[in-house]
Amino acid sequence: LGLVARSIRADWATTYGYAPVVLETYVESERFAGTCYRAANWIHVGSTTGRGKLDRTHQGGLAVKDVYCYPLKANATATLTAPLA
């Protein structure tokens, strides 16, 4: 996790022309505790509802997942909430 977090901004910028601000991952909470993410200082920001992107009936039925984020910049929140120029 540390290697990815240290290198992804530069790698992504080289490939796509811009650098990400935050990493995001999902952990199936019934099967895993997310221990490695918490140990690596990722921030638990909430949980999904168990609905997938293709759920058209609003029934859910998929596994609930915990959402973890890792800021790649010190001012990630300000960058993400700034108005577009």
Side-chain angles (χ1 to χ4, degrees):
L1 291 173
L3 178 62
V4 170
R6 284 189 298 276
S7 64
I8 196 166
R9 281 185 56 82
D11 293 346
W12 196 279
T14 300
T15 304
Y16 299 107
Y18 65 95
V21 178
V22 174
L23 298 177
E24 176 185 53
T25 192
Y26 299 87
V27 177
E28 192 173 326
S29 55
E30 288 186 18
R31 295 180 57 201
F32 304 102
T35 305
C36 64
Y37 293 104
R38 287 185 279 120
N41 295 320
W42 286 58
I43 302 164
H44 180 259
V45 295
S47 299
T48 66
T49 60
R51 291 185 52 211
K53 66 180 180 181
L54 301 177
D55 182 8
R56 304 288 186 246
T57 62
H58 306 284
Q59 298 293 318
L62 296 177
V64 173
K65 296 179 181 173
D66 289 329
V67 183
Y68 290 90
C69 290
Y70 186 81
L72 297 173
K73 292 177 62 171
N75 62 345
T77 302
T79 301
L80 292 171
T81 58
L84 296 175

